[in-house]
Amino acid sequence: MFVNKTPAIPHESNSISSLEKMSIGGVEQWVLLRGHDHRNPIILWVHGGPGGAQIGFIRQFCSDLEKDFLVVNYDQRGSGLSFSKNIPKDSMTINRMVDDLLEVVEKLCSRFKQDKVYLLGHSWGTILSYLTINRRPERFHGYIAVSQVVNMKENERVSYEYTLKKAKESRNEKAFTQLKKLGAPPWKNLNADRIHNKWLQEFGGGLVHTGDFVNPIIKSILKGPEYRLLDLIRWIRGQMFSMKVFKEELTNLDLLQANKHIQVPIVFCCGRHDFTAPSEIAETFYNQLQAPSKKWVWFEESAHTLFIEEKEAFVKLVKDTVNEWNTIKV
């Protein structure tokens, strides 16, 4: 019988490679722990979405981080392996997700006898990460923000205007007609988001700047043992469920109104071509932010998922940044 598992890390006596269930916030959630030495510093990765669970494919893109860190991924409630039709919709709130994230941090610190973790958030995960750091800064060495989301209304406005402009410039009448019919956001249903995102990807500002995102990810999921075939269906269902239940709350989100003085070092990693979470909005936030140390890094060949498009450069950036933070002892 095929079971969910993750490959062992060979020839390392202190390695850890574990895919396991945890009770987090009263809900069963799946956690992936991988590292050449379980005593290394912890990097906790908070995936995007909502619902963009990544246990099924992330190992293919960040395994080099496992040499220096204990890399932890978890499929958030309602996502991927952690999706269940029995999860109460009223428990799917940003505040509850922050509580979940903090509970994961506490469990990791207790289990591996560490006081702090490095937090790595992507897209939707940057919202949860930033709010969590604000609540419990003493639990974090630093924060790596990948494609930081700040204000969803502004995100959608800038993204739509960019896509419409590209459709006009390229004389793509089909795209221009469909986008004009949609009208400016906010949109009331996920189908409108789907149409917009289809053309955004066509014009190079979507999840990846060049090539295809979906097929390589699905191939990675099918090739790895972390997800079974039926889990691919759960992964898709979890994304639809999560995007739908969080749509209203996300529409009203604005981190520009949050506390902009954080107590941990931070690095913003942004794809030059990202118009899923347009960098101009993140730059405004970054410029207002006060932190012990802050840095902005462009990934010139990427759009929204730079850790996939420029994975070697991203891994190097993470390692170099952590070394820099340790050197200056922020």
Side-chain angles (χ1 to χ4, degrees):
M1 181 179 177
F2 190 87
V3 295
N4 302 90
K5 58 185 179 181
T6 192
I9 297 173
H11 315 304
E12 299 290 346
S13 58
N14 292 311
S15 68
I16 182 169
S17 52
S18 177
L19 178 58
E20 54 196 67
K21 291 179 280 189
M22 286 186 186
S23 176
I24 302 165
V27 171
E28 187 178 90
Q29 300 183 45
W30 284 76
V31 181
L32 177 66
L33 307 103
R34 294 186 58 83
H36 287 225
D37 191 331
H38 68 267
R39 299 166 300 183
N40 279 338
I42 298 167
I43 283 188
L44 174 57
W45 197 314
V46 190
H47 69 68
Q54 58 187 37
I55 281 178
F57 65 85
I58 195 60
R59 178 174 52 83
Q60 315 288 337
F61 300 100
C62 70
S63 59
D64 277 353
L65 285 176
E66 298 169 7
K67 298 174 183 177
D68 298 277
F69 302 96
L70 167 50
V71 181
V72 181
N73 279 270
Y74 76 107
D75 283 2
Q76 298 159 19
R77 74 167 58 210
S79 305
L81 294 176
S82 304
F83 171 75
S84 167
K85 62 182 181 180
N86 297 320
I87 293 177
K89 287 185 179 180
D90 61 7
S91 77
M92 298 290 288
T93 66
I94 290 175
N95 189 60
R96 177 66 259 177
M97 302 297 271
V98 170
D99 287 342
D100 283 359
L101 176 49
L102 274 172
E103 189 172 337
V104 174
V105 171
E106 294 298 329
K107 287 178 183 291
L108 292 173
C109 287
S110 175
R111 177 173 172 179
F112 295 101
K113 298 179 172 55
Q114 299 190 31
D115 295 326
K116 300 180 180 184
V117 306
Y118 291 98
L119 201 57
L120 196 167
H122 173 238
S123 192
W124 147 262
T126 64
I127 299 168
L128 305 182
S129 297
Y130 189 80
L131 295 174
T132 300
I133 286 171
N134 260 307
R135 194 183 296 182
R136 291 289 305 279
E138 71 277 8
R139 277 304 195 194
F140 302 99
H141 294 293
Y143 170 41
I144 301 160
V146 182
S147 308
Q148 178 72 48
V149 176
V150 177
N151 181 304
M152 283 302 296
K153 284 182 180 177
E154 278 298 287
N155 266 19
E156 289 183 343
R157 181 189 66 79
V158 173
S159 184
Y160 175 75
E161 290 177 0
Y162 166 84
T163 312
L164 191 65
K165 178 184 175 185
K166 285 292 185 179
K168 186 175 182 180
E169 288 176 349
S170 63
R171 298 182 179 179
N172 188 322
E173 293 185 10
K174 183 177 180 181
F176 188 79
T177 300
Q178 289 188 6
L179 291 165
K180 285 293 286 185
K181 186 177 180 181
L182 280 185
W187 301 299
K188 293 182 179 179
N189 59 67
L190 293 180
N191 189 53
D193 291 285
R194 182 189 62 78
I195 293 170
H196 167 251
N197 288 332
K198 180 184 83 169
W199 293 116
L200 179 62
Q201 182 59 51
E202 178 75 17
F203 299 128
L207 295 176
V208 292
H209 178 51
T210 57
D212 178 32
F213 173 80
V214 175
N215 286 328
I217 293 301
I218 291 177
K219 285 179 182 177
S220 292
I221 290 174
L222 293 175
K223 188 167 65 173
E226 285 85 3
Y227 280 14
R228 298 166 297 177
L229 183 59
L230 286 176
D231 295 323
L232 180 59
I233 298 171
R234 295 175 70 190
W235 182 65
I236 295 169
R237 289 183 67 191
Q239 289 185 60
M240 299 302 294
F241 170 69
S242 298
M243 287 190 291
K244 187 173 182 179
V245 296
F246 280 112
K247 186 170 180 59
E248 182 177 350
E249 192 172 9
L250 271 177
T251 299
N252 298 313
L253 177 91
D254 185 8
L255 289 186
L256 287 170
Q257 304 303 315
N259 174 27
K260 290 185 283 294
H261 189 142
I262 65 169
Q263 299 175 41
V264 304
I266 185 169
V267 58
F268 277 53
C269 307
C270 295
R272 180 69 74 175
H273 306 281
D274 186 5
F275 279 88
T276 298
S279 298
E280 64 186 74
I281 304 169
E283 276 192 285
T284 299
F285 182 62
Y286 173 85
N287 290 333
Q288 295 179 12
L289 199 61
Q290 297 181 55
S293 167
K294 67 177 185 178
K295 179 169 65 174
W296 181 282
V297 180
W298 284 113
F299 284 74
E300 298 291 344
E301 305 302 321
S302 299
H304 194 58
T305 51
L306 53 92
F307 56 91
I308 290 176
E309 292 191 87
E310 297 182 70
K311 62 180 182 179
E312 292 86 3
F314 177 70
V315 167
K316 184 177 186 302
L317 182 278
V318 171
K319 292 182 179 182
D320 289 349
T321 298
V322 168
N323 287 335
E324 182 181 318
W325 287 342
N326 289 335
T327 300
I328 61 178
K329 295 181 180 180
V330 291

